[in-house]
Amino acid sequence: MSVNGVEWTPGMVCVFDGLENVTGRVVQWYEQRLESMKAGEELREQNHPHLAERPHLDGSFTTSLPLSLNPQSVELPGGIELVEAEPIVDRKSVFVGRACRISDPSQVIAFARVSHLITEQIARQVPLILAFLMADRRVTKAAHPIINAWRCQLAAPTVYTHPPDNGDDGESAAGGRLAHLLQILDVKDVLVVVTRYFGGTLLGADRFKHINQAARDALELGGFIELGLREPSLLFNQGLIGGKWVESKSGATISVFNPATGEKLGTVPEMGLEETKEAINAAGRAFTTWSKTTAKQRHDILIKFYNLMKEHDDDLARIITHENGKTLAEAKGESAYSASFIEWFAEEAVRTYGEHIPSPFGNIRNIVIKQPVGVVSILTPWNFPSAMIARKLGAALAAGCTTVIKPPPETPFSALALAELGRRAGIPDGVINVVTTQKNVNDVAKEMCESKTVKKVTFTGSTPVAKLLYKMAASTIKKISIEAGGNAPFIVFDDANIEQAVEGAILCKFRGTGQTCVCANRIYVQSNVYAEFASRLAERVAAFKVGNGLEEGITHGPLIHDRAVEKVMRHVNDAVEKGAQILVGGSRIDRLGTFFAPTVLSDVPANALVNDEETFGPIAALTKFETEEEVIKLANDTDVGLAGYFYSRDVGRAWRVAEALEVGMVGANTGLISQTVIPFGGIKESGIGSPCNWSTILDLSLLGREGGHGIEEYMNTKLIAFGGL
C-alpha cells in the first residue's frame, strides 16, 4: 500500500505512512485510547479487547483481529526480531527509529500487486507489529503520538532479488540512523517504523481524529490518496470553523481531481450559508482577543508560521501540483513565494507606524494611530492556490484581523494545509476559518460580502465576478481589495535585445501554462524584428515537454479543467479563421488529462478573440506593428489594465512607454514583475487603484494594492485629538 509516492514493486519497497492508513481497526483502537487520555484516564490495567472488521480492498473477505489496550497482551509474531536505533531529539519531540526484522521465511509478508490485492498475511501481521510498538508507555503517555511505518523490503529471497540499498532516502532523521544500523546488521526483510513522541502540550490528543481524514475515508472506500507527502497530516478534507475541523451540515461533498491524470484526489465539504455564518461569527469572536495582541506577538507567531511553511515546502508544493497541475518546479516556486508573504508581513506587523500632526491650536495634540479593520473575507482563485491566500492572509493577520477564507473548489487542499500550519504556529482558534463550497458559492460569497460582521473583502479572480462582489460589499461600504482579470500587452520594439525578449515572453506567457493573471496575452512585435522573434519563440516553445508535473523533465502541465481547454481551442480557431497561422501547437493533446499543446500563432489580426479576451492558456498570439504610437493605442484598447511589458534599449522610449501604458504594473525589459515587496494590482476593470503614472506612483500602496505596503488595506486610520492641555 503506497500512500506517499513510493510505488511498490515486488522485492522493492512498500510504504505505510501514518498509523491511520494501515487498517481501520487499528485506527479505531488508537482513537479509543486517545479518547480515554482526553478524559484524563490512565492506561487500563485490565484487558480491553476491541474488535473491528477491515474489508479487503476488493471486497472478497473480511477479517477480525483482537487488539488490547494492555501492553502485556501484545506479542510479536514468531520469527520477527526487534531492532532499535538511537533516539534523536528534535525541538520538543523525541524520534525513535525501530525495525522489525522478519527472519522466519514463513512470516515474510507477501504482497500481490495485481488489482491492489493485499494478502491476508499482511492484514493480520502488520496490525500486530504496530500494536506491539504502541505498547511503549512513552507513546501512550505522549500528547500527540504519530507512528509512521515507511519502509519495508519484501518477499522471500528465493523469489525476488533484494537491492542492497537500505538508505534513508531523506524521510526522517530517525529513519536515517536506523538505515545505517540496518546496513551494519545486514537486515533485509524489514518493516521500519519511526515513532514520534511530543513532549509538550501544543498538540492535544483530540487532534488525531482529524489527521489525514481524507486518506482514512479513501481507505474505507477501498483506495488511497497517493500524494507522496512526507507528512500526510497536512492533508485535510474538512472545513475549519472556530478551530474545529467540520463537515458540511448537509453531508454533501466536492470532489477534487488531478487535472493531469483525471484521478480523484479526495473530497471537501460542500458548505453553505449556515456554515459561512458560523465561520464569520467565529472570526468575530476571535477578533476581540487577536486584535489586542501586540505587533511583536503577531510578528513572532507569523515567523513560526513562515518557518513551518519552509519546513514543509516540498509537501506544500506536491499538494499544489496534484490539485492545480503545474510542474513541481513551479509549485516549489509558488510555495516559496507564498511563504515570503508571511515573512514579509511578519516584519510589517511591527512597522504599522502612526504619526503626530502639529495642531494650529495650542491646547490640542493630534495623534494618528492604526488599528485592525476587523473580520476579513478572503476569496481566491485556483491558479495560485497557496500564494494568493498567503498574500492576503499574511497582511490580515499581521494587522490584527481575523479571517474567513473561501478557496476555489478546484484547489482546496492547499488552503487547508496552510490553515493547519497556522494552527501549529500558534494562531488561536477562530482567527483562520476555511469554508469550502462549489454549488453554494453564490450564497456563501454574498454572505461574506454583505455580513455586517465582515469589515473587509479581498478578492482575486475574474472581472465579472469582481464586479458582483464589489456591488455586494458596497451595501455596507466595506474596505475592499480587488485584483481582477488582465489582458497584458507584451511589446517588442525593433531596438530590443531579441534574445532577452524571447526569454521574457516565455517567462510571462507560459508560466503556469499561461494560467496567470499577469501573463502576456497580446504580443506585439515591430515589423523589422517580427520574423526573427517569431522563429526564435516558436523554436523554444516546440521544445517544451508537456505532461504530469510530477514527472522528470516536464516543463508544462495541464490546464485546470475541460472548460479551460475549450476556451483555448475557441481562441485558436477564431484566430485561424481570421487569417492567423499556427507555427507551433494549436490543438489539444490526445491523452489523459486536460492538456493543450503550447501554441505560437503568427499574423494574428487585431480583431481576433484572443486580443479581446484573456485566454488563460498557452497561446502566444503575435501581431505585427509599425510605430510606437500605433502599438500604444493597440495596447490600451481594452477595458482592463493589470500588467504590461515591453522591450526596448532606447531610454527615452522606455520612459514614454512606461508612462503611457494604462496598467497598474509595467515590466520594462523584464517578464517578471511578481514580487513580495511591490504594490501589486491594476487599474480600469482590473482592480481598484490610481492611474499608473509617475506622479501618483507613491499612492499605489494605499489604493487597493496587495503585497508591498498592503497591510494598510487591513487597518483603519484613527485620529485622537488630545485637548485640555
Side-chain angles (χ1 to χ4, degrees):
M1 296 184 292
S2 175
V3 295
N4 75 339
V6 183
E7 290 297 331
W8 175 73
T9 303
M12 294 293 288
V13 175
C14 179
V15 177
F16 298 90
D17 197 341
L19 171 66
E20 64 275 19
N21 294 337
V22 179
T23 61
R25 59 180 173 277
V26 177
V27 171
Q28 296 170 18
W29 175 80
Y30 198 42
E31 286 184 329
Q32 182 172 353
R33 172 176 294 186
L34 290 174
E35 288 300 323
S36 66
M37 292 169 55
K38 185 178 179 181
E41 300 177 10
E42 295 294 331
L43 282 173
R44 304 167 189 249
E45 296 299 330
Q46 70 279 12
N47 289 347
H48 184 86
H50 179 72
L51 300 177
E53 290 191 347
R54 160 72 157 86
H56 191 41
L57 290 189
D58 66 356
S60 62
F61 75 98
T62 59
T63 179
S64 298
L65 183 67
L67 297 175
S68 173
L69 289 175
N70 186 348
Q72 301 301 322
S73 67
V74 181
E75 297 181 357
L76 279 178
I80 296 180
E81 303 169 5
L82 186 66
V83 179
E84 181 168 322
E86 179 184 358
I88 66 169
V89 178
D90 180 16
R91 298 178 184 173
K92 295 184 178 181
S93 304
V94 178
F95 292 76
V96 179
R98 297 189 179 94
C100 289
R101 176 180 180 180
I102 307 171
S103 58
D104 184 348
S106 66
Q107 295 295 334
V108 171
I109 301 173
F111 291 150
R113 179 62 171 170
V114 180
S115 301
H116 301 282
L117 297 180
I118 301 174
T119 67
E120 186 171 355
Q121 241 181 338
I122 183 66
R124 293 185 180 278
Q125 298 295 349
V126 172
L128 281 175
I129 294 171
L130 293 178
F132 178 85
L133 294 171
M134 288 191 299
D136 188 327
R137 293 184 65 86
R138 288 174 296 178
V139 176
T140 63
K141 292 287 187 180
H144 184 57
I146 300 175
I147 291 184
N148 291 315
W150 54 263
R151 186 176 179 84
C152 186
Q153 293 199 344
L154 309 170
T158 56
V159 180
Y160 300 115
T161 301
H162 296 277
D165 178 26
N166 283 312
D168 157 55
D169 298 330
E171 273 80 358
S172 68
R177 292 191 178 184
L178 180 57
H180 292 301
L181 181 60
L182 295 178
Q183 288 174 339
I184 294 173
L185 297 176
D186 192 27
V187 176
K188 295 181 177 179
D189 296 291
V190 298
L191 170 66
V192 173
V193 177
V194 177
T195 307
R196 185 181 189 185
Y197 309 132
F198 275 85
T201 58
L202 294 178
L203 299 175
D206 62 331
R207 291 283 295 282
F208 178 84
K209 67 180 66 176
H210 306 303
I211 289 182
N212 214 2
Q213 181 65 45
R216 293 214 300 276
D217 289 347
L219 176 64
E220 294 173 3
L221 295 175
F224 292 90
I225 297 176
E226 303 188 7
L227 300 193
L229 304 186
R230 294 185 177 182
E231 187 166 339
S233 62
L234 292 177
L235 185 63
F236 286 83
N237 74 332
Q238 297 166 302
L240 180 63
I241 298 178
K244 296 181 180 179
W245 295 100
V246 296
E247 307 289 348
S248 63
K249 302 291 185 182
S250 65
T253 60
I254 306 165
S255 295
V256 183
F257 297 91
N258 183 332
T261 64
E263 174 190 16
K264 181 178 176 179
L265 300 175
T267 63
V268 292
E270 179 63 82
M271 294 179 164
L273 181 59
E274 185 176 355
E275 295 92 333
T276 305
K277 288 182 177 180
E278 289 181 0
I280 291 173
N281 290 336
R285 291 190 297 270
F287 180 73
T288 60
T289 53
W290 180 248
S291 61
K292 299 299 191 296
T293 57
T294 67
K296 181 61 166 59
Q297 288 173 322
R298 297 193 295 274
H299 163 275
D300 292 348
I301 291 175
L302 286 174
I303 288 297
K304 291 179 182 177
F305 192 2
Y306 163 75
N307 287 333
L308 284 171
M309 291 181 68
K310 296 300 293 181
E311 179 183 341
H312 297 285
D313 58 354
D314 186 71
D315 280 350
L316 295 175
R318 285 184 176 275
I319 293 174
I320 291 170
T321 295
H322 276 286
E323 63 183 359
N324 169 276
K326 65 179 62 176
T327 65
L328 188 57
E330 284 198 23
K332 288 182 177 179
E334 179 183 344
S335 183
Y337 186 40
S338 180
S340 72
F341 284 114
I342 303 300
E343 180 188 34
W344 171 265
F345 285 112
E347 302 297 344
E348 287 291 284
V350 295
R351 293 175 176 81
T352 51
Y353 305 130
E355 61 180 322
H356 166 251
I357 301 176
S359 171
F361 307 109
N363 65 335
I364 293 179
R365 300 293 181 267
N366 295 321
I367 304 298
V368 176
I369 65 172
K370 301 294 179 66
Q371 293 180 304
V373 66
V375 176
V376 177
S377 290
I378 297 176
L379 302 100
T380 58
W382 49 260
N383 60 334
F384 286 90
S386 179
M388 293 301 95
I389 291 176
R391 187 161 67 188
K392 302 168 187 296
L393 181 64
L397 297 180
C401 298
T402 56
T403 61
V404 178
I405 302 170
K406 190 209 77 64
E410 295 90 350
T411 58
F413 294 132
S414 291
L416 296 169
L418 288 180
E420 168 63 10
L421 290 180
R423 284 161 52 88
R424 295 184 188 182
I427 296 173
D429 291 347
V431 174
I432 300 176
N433 303 272
V434 182
V435 175
T436 55
T437 188
Q438 185 175 45
K439 294 180 180 178
N440 300 318
V441 64
N442 291 338
D443 291 339
V444 169
K446 188 173 186 293
E447 183 65 21
M448 291 179 69
C449 290
E450 294 185 351
S451 170
K452 291 185 178 181
T453 303
V454 174
K455 303 302 181 184
K456 158 84 178 179
V457 176
T458 175
F459 168 76
T460 297
S462 71
T463 297
V465 175
K467 291 179 179 179
L468 292 174
L469 298 180
Y470 197 4
K471 182 178 180 180
M472 293 175 187
S475 65
T476 49
I477 314 183
K478 304 181 191 303
K479 275 200 169 192
I480 186 166
S481 298
I482 288 178
E483 187 239 301
N487 189 5
F490 186 100
I491 305 170
V492 182
F493 289 99
D494 54 11
D495 63 336
N497 182 313
I498 301 302
E499 183 177 353
Q500 291 180 1
V502 169
E503 290 296 328
I506 289 172
L507 178 64
C508 77
K509 169 68 257 183
F510 292 100
R511 184 164 64 109
T513 316
Q515 299 174 114
T516 76
C517 55
V518 294
C519 73
N521 200 61
R522 300 167 291 154
I523 301 179
Y524 299 110
V525 185
Q526 203 157 16
S527 58
N528 291 346
V529 294
Y530 185 89
E532 180 184 1
F533 179 87
S535 61
R536 287 195 182 189
L537 180 63
E539 182 181 7
R540 290 292 306 279
V541 172
F544 290 168
K545 187 176 180 181
V546 180
N548 188 333
L550 293 173
E551 296 176 4
E552 189 72 25
I554 294 299
T555 61
H556 294 80
L559 297 179
I560 189 65
H561 43 50
D562 283 326
R563 297 191 304 279
V565 175
E566 292 167 1
K567 182 178 183 180
V568 173
M569 193 72 255
R570 186 170 70 252
H571 279 194
V572 170
N573 291 339
D574 174 80
V576 171
E577 290 173 1
K578 293 175 179 176
Q581 301 294 317
I582 298 175
L583 300 183
V584 177
S587 63
R588 180 169 186 161
I589 298 177
D590 186 17
R591 59 182 295 181
L592 189 65
T594 50
F595 294 97
F596 196 94
T599 300
V600 178
L601 301 176
S602 67
D603 302 316
V604 178
N607 66 341
L609 195 58
V610 68
N611 283 330
D612 185 54
E613 295 180 354
E614 185 179 27
T615 303
F616 236 59
I619 302 177
L622 310 185
T623 300
K624 189 182 301 183
F625 75 92
E626 298 295 336
T627 67
E628 179 181 322
E629 293 74 16
E630 174 193 0
V631 77
I632 292 298
K633 183 177 180 180
L634 288 171
N636 291 339
D637 187 20
T638 177
D639 292 331
V640 295
L642 184 59
Y645 309 85
F646 70 90
Y647 277 74
S648 172
R649 286 180 285 193
D650 184 315
V651 175
R653 170 179 281 164
W655 282 99
R656 290 194 306 272
V657 174
E659 293 188 358
L661 288 177
E662 296 174 355
V663 294
M665 300 173 289
V666 176
N669 293 319
T670 180
L672 178 65
I673 58 175
S674 297
Q675 306 160 55
T676 305
V677 300
I678 65 168
F680 193 101
I683 61 173
K684 296 182 174 180
E685 293 186 7
S686 287
I688 301 174
S690 60
C692 184
N693 60 67
W694 298 108
S695 65
T696 60
I697 193 70
L698 295 178
D699 296 329
L700 288 177
S701 63
L702 304 178
L703 294 165
R705 290 309 195 256
E706 296 183 324
H709 302 285
I711 194 171
E712 299 285 346
E713 285 290 320
Y714 297 84
M715 306 193 80
N716 287 325
T717 299
K718 178 182 286 186
L719 167 68
I720 303 175
F722 286 95
L725 299 180

